[in-house]
Amino acid sequence: MSRTPHKVVLDTDPGIDDALAILLALASPEIVLRALTVTGGNCPLEDGVRNALNVLALAQAPHVPVHSGVALPLLRPPFTAPETHGDHGLGYATLPAAPFGSADEHAVDAIIREIMAAPGEIVLVAVGPLTNVALAIRREPRIVQAVRDVIFMGGAFRVEGNTTPLAEFNVYVDPHAAQIVLQSGMPLTIIPWDITREVRLTQAHVDRLLRQGGPLVQFIADATRFYIEFHLNHFGYAGCSINDPAALALVFMPELAQTEEVFVAVDVMSDLSMGKTVGDFQRITTHTPNARVVTAFDSERFVELFVERMERLSRLLPLA
Ligand code: BDR
Ligand code: CA
C-alpha cells in the first residue's frame, strides 16, 4: 500500500457491532485510528467507555485514546438497547479489564482538536447517536469545513425501522442531534439500515474464525452469539447485521457502495414517527441534497474482507 493511511476518528457507542468496527479499524493498514470518542447509546456511557477500553486491550492497542463524551441525548430521554447488545453492551462476552484508562479530554473537544489540527484530513466515522458530533459542531462550527468526510451509520429510508416501525436506532436515540448534523453542511455519507441489515455475519463465518483459536476470535464468537440470537428472535433471519464495520470500511473501500445525493431530514415533531429519516430520492422538493446516501453495497465482498481481517488480526496476537 503506497498511499498515506486515512486518519479516522471513530465516534461510537460500543455495542457489539461497534466493537467489531473498532477491531476492523485496528486490522486495516489503510487506517490510522486517531481516537475513539464515546457517546451513550447502545449502553450507558460508562459501559461504552469501559467496553471501548477493554476491546482495545484485547487487540493490544493501548495507543488509541478513548475519550468519554456526552451521556444523554440533547432533548430526548435516554434510550439504550440491552435486548440487542446485552446488559453490558457486548453480548455474552466478558473481557478482562483494560490496564489503562480513558483520556482526560472530553470527546467533543477531542473531535474538534483532531479535525482542526489536520484540516481536510480527518474522516469522522460516526456509528452511534450523533450527540457528540452535533455538540462539536455547535462548539466549533469551523469543523464543518475542516473535516474531510463524515460517514454515518444510521437512518431507515425505504424499509421499516429497527427501533420503532419507522425509525432506526442511532437516529431515534438523538434525532435532534442528527438534524443538527444534517443541516450543518458537513460532507456527509450515510449508510442506512436499509443497506446494513443485509450485511450479515453468519454462524458459519464465526465457526471459520473460531478455527484460528485465541482470545480475539473467542470474543467475537461470544459477542455475536448473543447478537445472532437477537436477530433471529427479533427479525427472523439467520446471522447478525454488522452495521458499524460496514460504515468503517467505506473509508478505504468506497467502491463497495453506490450512493445517491439526497436531501435528508429527520422527524423530530411527532411521537409516531420520531427519528424517521426522510430522503427526497425522487427530487420532489427543491431542497439541495445534504448527504450521499448508500443505495447499494457489495455485502458479500465486504463480509469476506471482514472475516479475513479478523483472521489476520487474530494471528498477530498471542494465543493466550
Ligand atoms: C445501529 O444501532 C446500534 O444498535 C448498532 O450499534 C448500530 O450502530 C444499527 O441501527
Ligand atoms: Ca453503534
Side-chain angles (χ1 to χ4, degrees):
M1 195 188 56
S2 56
R3 61 164 294 169
T4 323
H6 305 280
K7 293 179 183 162
V8 169
V9 172
L10 183 59
D11 190 66
T12 173
D13 59 334
I16 294 170
D17 58 328
D18 300 78
L20 300 181
I22 295 168
L23 293 175
L24 181 59
L26 297 172
S28 296
E30 302 91 342
I31 283 179
V32 175
L33 186 55
R34 300 276 315 166
L36 297 179
T37 56
V38 180
T39 184
N42 288 322
C43 44
L45 179 66
E46 56 278 18
D47 287 351
V49 170
R50 184 205 54 228
N51 292 342
L53 291 165
N54 293 353
V55 168
L56 289 175
L58 171 76
Q60 302 202 344
H63 56 280
V64 179
V66 175
H67 299 266
S68 180
V70 183
L72 303 178
L74 296 180
L75 294 179
R76 304 264 307 153
F79 186 91
T80 56
E83 73 295 338
T84 313
H85 297 271
D87 286 341
H88 305 290
L90 296 178
Y92 294 124
T94 50
L95 288 174
F100 47 87
S102 58
D104 289 339
E105 187 183 29
H106 192 278
V108 170
D109 295 329
I111 290 170
I112 294 168
R113 179 181 47 73
E114 283 288 340
I115 294 173
M116 295 312 293
E121 290 184 34
I122 299 291
V123 182
L124 178 59
V125 180
V127 295
L130 286 165
T131 321
N132 284 339
V133 181
L135 286 177
I137 292 169
R138 284 293 185 260
R139 190 169 161 110
E140 178 46 277
R142 290 179 301 165
I143 66 169
V144 166
Q145 267 75 47
V147 74
R148 191 181 104 197
D149 202 0
V150 179
I151 301 174
F152 172 53
M153 187 281 128
F157 290 93
R158 295 181 280 198
V159 296
E160 292 179 345
N162 59 5
T163 301
T164 75
L166 291 172
E168 178 278 336
F169 182 80
N170 288 338
V171 178
Y172 180 75
V173 172
D174 199 341
H176 302 90
Q179 190 63 341
I180 287 173
V181 174
L182 282 161
Q183 291 177 346
S184 69
M186 272 179 158
L188 177 64
T189 301
I190 299 176
I191 179 165
W193 171 243
D194 309 45
I195 296 294
T196 62
R197 68 194 187 126
E198 305 289 351
V199 182
R200 293 183 196 160
L201 189 78
T202 64
Q203 191 56 49
H205 292 121
V206 177
D207 291 343
R208 175 176 146 194
L209 282 172
L210 276 171
R211 288 198 278 279
Q212 293 276 321
L216 183 90
V217 295
Q218 192 58 53
F219 165 73
I220 295 172
D222 292 342
T224 56
R225 194 165 74 255
F226 188 95
Y227 209 34
I228 287 172
E229 284 173 8
F230 164 78
H231 282 76
L232 187 61
N233 296 336
H234 200 80
F235 300 120
Y237 57 74
C240 55
S241 299
I242 48 171
N243 316 285
D244 296 349
L248 192 279
L250 293 180
V251 175
F252 58 93
M253 283 186 90
E255 66 273 18
L256 288 170
Q258 288 171 34
T259 60
E260 287 181 35
E261 303 269 340
V262 182
F263 172 74
V264 177
V266 178
D267 188 352
V268 295
M269 301 297 282
S270 132
D271 274 347
L272 199 57
S273 54
M274 180 65 68
K276 167 68 186 164
T277 39
V278 179
D280 185 8
F281 289 90
Q282 299 184 72
R283 304 273 171 114
I284 288 172
T285 71
T286 54
H287 294 299
T288 309
N290 56 356
R292 280 186 306 274
V293 177
V294 176
T295 51
F297 186 80
D298 190 341
S299 295
E300 203 178 319
R301 184 169 164 213
F302 166 70
V303 174
E304 180 58 29
L305 171 120
F306 175 81
V307 174
E308 280 171 11
R309 292 204 170 185
M310 291 306 103
E311 287 173 334
R312 195 168 69 194
L313 186 60
S314 166
R315 278 198 296 271
L316 293 173
L317 300 172
L319 273 177

